[in-house]
Amino acid sequence: GESVGLHLPTLSVQEGDNSIINCAYSNSASDYFIWYKQESGKGPQFIIDIRSNMDKRQGQRVTVLLNKTVKHLSLQIAATQPGDSAVYFCAENAPSYGGSQGNLIFGKGTKLSVKP
Amino acid sequence: DAGITQSPRYKITETGRQVTLMCHQTWSHSYMFWYRQDLGHGLRLIYYSAAADITDKGEVPDGYVVSRSKTENFPLTLESATRSQTSVYFCASSESGARRGYGYTFGSGTRLTVV
């Protein structure tokens, strides 16, 4: 099965509310995580990343939280806007997969719908 | 323009035909990747390349061939297309591997339909 997964496949929020998208990972050796946003008909777009030596990282309106104890990752979007509607993927670096540099393993994605 | 481009954007081919999907990046990134995206499976790695003339299999390599004679190009060939290869294909590049903390930049994708 997938080593990276998502708790909620779909999420619907009201415009202006905060959104939280969750992700579980199973590889305790993973040391780098990324959130991607994918709009319809487009390729995934990098949002924010975090290394395993951090538990929180903030960007513009987005925050990623990492809980290594329970192997959980979350993406928080503040003041969600209609333009945030997309599928969000978490990805983990899998050091043992794909050679010495590892490769990213992606979760299946969560669809975020923002209601105006 | 700088970036990563895929061609064609859409492709319909018949079962048994050979088809090549193109990927070109202008950053001179060392790493390049091919993923396929299917409902229920997310993004799955087909092949990747750490440098010119170095390629390796990913999670789902069967039925695909890649080459990387130049750093900027990473074509993906379906030697004998099957309907199960109907999918959206994404190419990505990265300055270095994920282990060093480099994310991937994706192209816009190629939607391939095998009839």
Side-chain angles (χ1 to χ4, degrees), chain B residues 13-49:
Chain B
T13 191
E14 294 178 339
T15 300
R17 287 193 178 271
Q18 183 181 83
V19 60
T20 297
L21 310 184
M22 304 301 293
C23 180
H24 175 79
Q25 53 104 357
T26 60
W27 294 301
S28 298
H29 283 171
S30 295
Y31 282 74
M32 295 188 75
F33 309 85
W34 274 106
Y35 283 85
R36 60 177 289 174
Q37 185 175 39
D38 306 286
L39 285 174
H41 291 282
L43 287 158
R44 292 183 292 175
L45 182 65
I46 304 171
Y47 269 95
Y48 72 101
S49 169

Side-chain angles (χ1 to χ4, degrees), chain A residues 2 32 34 36 38 41-44 49 51 89 93 95 97-104 106 108, chain B residues 9 31 33 35 37 40-41 43 45 48 58-59 90 97-104 106-108:
Chain A
E2 296 275 342
Y32 179 59
I34 306 176
Y36 281 89
Q38 186 177 23
K42 297 183 179 180
D49 59 1
R51 290 186 173 276
F89 295 94
N93 169 49
Y97 179 73
S100 62
Q101 292 304 315
N103 269 310
L104 288 179
F106 290 82
K108 291 187 172 65
Chain B
R9 191 79 171 89
Y31 282 74
F33 309 85
Y35 283 85
Q37 185 175 39
H41 291 282
L43 287 158
L45 182 65
Y48 72 101
E59 179 185 357
F90 287 101
R99 196 169 196 181
R100 291 184 176 175
Y102 288 87
Y104 300 177
F106 284 84
S108 298

Side-chain angles (χ1 to χ4, degrees), chain A:
Chain A
E2 296 275 342
S3 68
V4 176
L6 294 166
H7 295 309
L8 297 174
T10 60
L11 178 64
S12 184
V13 300
Q14 202 71 37
E15 181 178 359
D17 288 350
N18 296 333
S19 302
I20 300 176
I21 302 172
N22 297 303
C23 178
Y25 65 96
S26 59
N27 190 338
S28 57
S30 292
D31 56 7
Y32 179 59
F33 305 87
I34 306 176
W35 280 101
Y36 281 89
K37 172 186 180 183
Q38 186 177 23
E39 296 174 283
S40 181
K42 297 183 179 180
Q45 179 184 5
F46 175 95
I47 301 174
I48 192 168
D49 59 1
I50 188 168
R51 290 186 173 276
S52 59
N53 60 353
M54 304 171 68
D55 53 20
K56 179 180 181 179
R57 191 169 188 212
Q58 289 184 293
Q60 187 176 10
R61 283 200 306 117
V62 295
T63 301
V64 55
L65 299 177
L66 176 62
N67 185 331
K68 294 181 288 294
T69 302
V70 295
K71 289 184 281 188
H72 184 267
L73 194 69
S74 69
L75 176 70
Q76 300 179 359
I77 304 174
T80 312
Q81 302 169 0
D84 294 326
S85 293
V87 176
Y88 290 82
F89 295 94
C90 63
E92 65 176 308
N93 169 49
S96 61
Y97 179 73
S100 62
Q101 292 304 315
N103 269 310
L104 288 179
I105 302 298
F106 290 82
K108 291 187 172 65
T110 291
K111 183 177 181 180
L112 175 65
S113 295
V114 182
K115 295 177 287 185

